[in-house]
Amino acid sequence: MVNYHNHTVFCGHATGELFQYIDRAIELGITEIGFSDHAPMPEGLREGISMKPEEAEEYIASVLGEQKKYGGRIQVRLGFEVDFPLFDTFNRDYFADERIDFLIGSCHFIDGWPFDHPDFVDEFSRRDIDEVYAGYFDILGDLVDSGFFDILGHMDLVKKFGHRSRKDMTANVRKLAKKISSSGMAAEINTSGLIKPVGEIYPSEEIIKILFEENVPVTLGSDSHTPESVGYGFESAVEIMRKAGYRKVSGFLKRKRYDLPL
């Protein structure tokens, strides 16, 4: 079992030491844990959300230190969660950095609107929900086409607060799934939605079925911001994944994807 989406104190909204996350993963029988803290965002946006640009190397060193400490007890992987469209505050050199095992590409902004931030949720009532969904999936398509990333993070995050499109978005989802399949990326099955207002994993069971039909590899992440939430909801996620047909989950090492039994 893998868990490739875990945050650290560097982002400003997570708690606990790295070793606490790792020890919790070991308790749960997780064999690979990846840290993927939020890549640096611009001043004025990053406060309480991401590390500062000058903290990136400290973050990397801290994860690499845990890799050495734990040795063969558990595989500790190094990554970033990078917002797309990209911010200039994330050094592009990291896309070719041999120390990094994986990069999660995520979208938290639509035309500058932080749609998943609770302070800005009222904006949903001022926009056409179908246009919001279509625009969001278009951004994810550009993210996949960029070739920068290994994992597509929380694919239907736009539903976080329970807002649902009126229009059937199946065609948009299948188009995106085909892009992911052709790219060699994996899609993330992210269980953090279970503790959000929407109350279900990202992406939905219906989307996971489409991902399997389009031969999209998947990986697992609990998007943990506390050691206690490591692996939260994995039993439910695995059940849904297996129901869709999945029997393998993706791991990553030095930006190379490989399969592990689910």
Side-chain angles (χ1 to χ4, degrees):
M1 186 64 66
V2 305
N3 184 353
Y4 273 90
H5 199 148
N6 299 278
H7 293 275
T8 76
V9 294
F10 286 95
C11 71
H13 59 285
T15 60
E17 301 293 332
L18 269 67
F19 76 86
Q20 294 175 306
Y21 287 76
I22 299 169
D23 287 347
R24 178 59 177 156
I26 292 172
E27 288 177 18
L28 295 172
I30 292 169
T31 58
E32 299 189 9
I33 182 168
F35 289 96
S36 49
D37 215 350
H38 292 283
M41 297 169 65
E43 188 174 0
L45 288 179
R46 67 170 173 258
E47 287 72 21
I49 295 178
S50 81
M51 68 185 74
K52 300 175 183 177
E54 60 268 25
E55 291 177 319
E57 282 299 316
E58 184 180 354
Y59 162 71
I60 290 172
S62 67
V63 177
L64 294 181
E66 298 300 326
Q67 281 184 355
K68 294 178 181 178
K69 185 189 305 182
Y70 278 86
R73 292 178 61 199
I74 186 172
Q75 299 301 316
V76 179
R77 304 299 193 213
L78 169 63
F80 281 95
E81 182 179 12
V82 184
D83 259 271
F84 191 92
L86 298 174
F87 293 111
D88 290 339
T89 41
F90 185 59
N91 190 331
R92 301 292 181 94
D93 290 344
Y94 286 124
F95 287 118
D97 193 314
E98 294 183 352
R99 298 172 296 175
I100 294 173
D101 294 308
F102 66 99
L103 293 171
I104 298 176
S106 296
C107 173
H108 298 92
F109 296 85
I110 299 174
D111 298 327
W113 167 41
F115 64 86
D116 77 319
H117 196 298
D119 290 350
F120 299 90
V121 69
D122 288 347
E123 182 67 19
F124 277 98
S125 65
R126 293 187 281 269
R127 298 194 181 210
D128 182 287
I129 192 62
D130 292 338
E131 291 180 3
V132 169
Y133 265 74
Y136 174 73
F137 284 124
D138 283 346
I139 293 171
L140 294 190
D142 291 341
L143 184 161
V144 173
D145 288 342
S146 74
F148 289 136
F149 305 103
D150 307 295
I151 300 169
L152 176 60
H154 37 56
M155 183 173 165
D156 58 354
L157 179 65
V158 69
K159 73 184 181 187
K160 177 178 177 177
F161 297 109
H163 300 89
R164 304 285 188 171
S165 62
R166 295 183 299 270
K167 180 182 176 182
D168 183 0
M169 291 288 160
T170 301
N172 305 66
V173 170
R174 193 169 294 277
K175 178 182 177 182
L176 179 58
K178 290 179 182 294
K179 281 178 177 280
I180 304 168
S181 182
S182 298
S183 73
M185 291 175 62
E188 177 192 40
I189 309 303
N190 182 314
T191 57
S192 70
L194 292 169
I195 57 173
K196 305 302 183 186
V198 70
E200 66 178 33
I201 64 173
Y202 308 119
S204 66
E205 184 171 354
E206 292 74 20
I207 292 178
I208 293 173
K209 291 177 182 176
I210 293 173
L211 294 175
F212 181 76
E213 291 168 0
E214 297 298 338
N215 198 32
V216 175
V218 291
T219 193
L220 265 169
S222 52
D223 208 339
S224 298
H225 291 74
T226 66
E228 295 77 18
S229 60
V230 169
Y232 178 81
F234 271 22
E235 288 187 5
S236 297
V238 169
E239 182 179 348
I240 291 171
M241 292 160 69
R242 292 185 68 85
K243 183 179 177 181
Y246 282 103
R247 297 296 181 269
K248 296 178 181 178
V249 66
S250 295
F252 294 87
L253 178 64
K254 307 301 182 187
R255 309 290 309 277
K256 300 294 184 182
R257 191 189 70 79
Y258 52 87
D259 289 326
L260 293 167
L262 180 62

